[in-house]
């Protein structure tokens, strides 16, 4: 089963993805983790990612798509993917469709965790004190949220017309969101 979790930064995608990985014995595909890994390696890609993120921009589709392609083509992960934060643009969504088609896979469920800006700011401030992530600066967070909402509107439109699309109140308690997702997955 392949699942997409999307929503603004701080919506709880990673938390829900971790639960799904345990329940379904799947693999969490976090573009955020992949990007932070490249930054930590101090690779050329990592340097470009730092530049984009510090300006509050999303990392280019080209970089993200190339990282995703390696995962989708991994035979051990076939039909066991939990996408956490991908796709974020219409280009990425169409790229994912092509990659999945080439590997004879599909997306089974799409969950949009819808959360307002104020809730995101509170969550990011809490997460920063716990995890000390470099991308959790308040000003950067606000820019990323605004950019996310602008960029992902076409993605929302792209997936929302499908019968496997579910919009959830991402400001609910973690357990409530998990229970809701589980009810759709019948687990």
């Amino acid at each position: 089963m392949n699942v997409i979790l999307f929503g603004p930064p701080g919506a709880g995608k990673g938390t829900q993805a971790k639960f799904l990985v345990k329940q379904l014995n799947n693999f969490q595909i976090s573009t955020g983790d992949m990007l932070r890994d490249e930054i930590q390696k101090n690779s050329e890609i990592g340097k470009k990612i730092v530049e984009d993120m510090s300006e509050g921009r999303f990392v280019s589709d080209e970089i993200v798509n190339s990282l995703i392609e390696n995962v989708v083509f991994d035979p051990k992960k076939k039909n066991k993917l939990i996408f956490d934060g991908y796709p974020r643009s219409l280009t990425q969504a169409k790229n994912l469709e092509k990659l999945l088609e080439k590997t004879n896979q599909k997306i089974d469920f799409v969950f949009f965790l819808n959360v307002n800006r104020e809730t995101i700011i509170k969550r990011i401030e809490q997460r920063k004190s716990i995890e000390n992530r470099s991308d959790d600066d308040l000003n950067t967070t606000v820019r990323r949220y605004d950019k996310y909402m602008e960029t992902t509107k076409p993605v929302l439109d792209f997936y929302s017309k499908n019968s496997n699309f579910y919009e959830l109140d991402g400001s609910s308690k973690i357990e409530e969101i998990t229970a809701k997702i589980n009810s759709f997955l019948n687990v």
Side-chain angles (χ1 to χ4, degrees), residues 59-66 68 86-99 151-156 158-159:
V59 177
S60 76
D61 287 343
E62 181 181 43
I63 289 172
V64 175
N65 287 341
S66 69
I68 290 294
Y86 182 90
R88 279 192 172 159
S89 70
L90 191 54
T91 303
Q92 289 179 3
K94 289 179 178 178
N95 176 69
L96 181 58
E97 294 288 312
K98 287 178 191 170
L99 293 175
T151 307
T152 56
K153 176 76 172 96
V155 179
L156 191 59
F158 181 77
Y159 285 117

Side-chain angles (χ1 to χ4, degrees), residues 50-63:
V50 168
E51 183 182 313
D52 286 345
M53 290 174 82
S54 66
E55 294 295 320
R57 295 188 307 256
F58 284 122
V59 177
S60 76
D61 287 343
E62 181 181 43
I63 289 172

Side-chain angles (χ1 to χ4, degrees), residues 120-135:
I120 294 296
I121 289 170
K122 285 180 195 164
R123 285 184 181 173
I124 294 294
E125 287 173 343
Q126 286 176 328
R127 185 172 77 182
K128 184 172 184 167
S129 68
I130 296 167
E131 296 180 25
N132 198 24
R133 281 181 27 184
S134 60
D135 58 332

Side-chain angles (χ1 to χ4, degrees), residues 8 15 18 20 46 63-64 81 85 104 131 140 149 161 165:
T15 300
K18 284 174 182 40
L20 289 173
I63 289 172
V64 175
L81 303 169
N104 201 27
E131 296 180 25
T140 303
M149 295 311 280
K161 60 185 174 249
F165 174 87

Side-chain angles (χ1 to χ4, degrees), residues 52 71 117 174:
D52 286 345
V71 172
R117 186 187 216 194
I174 292 171

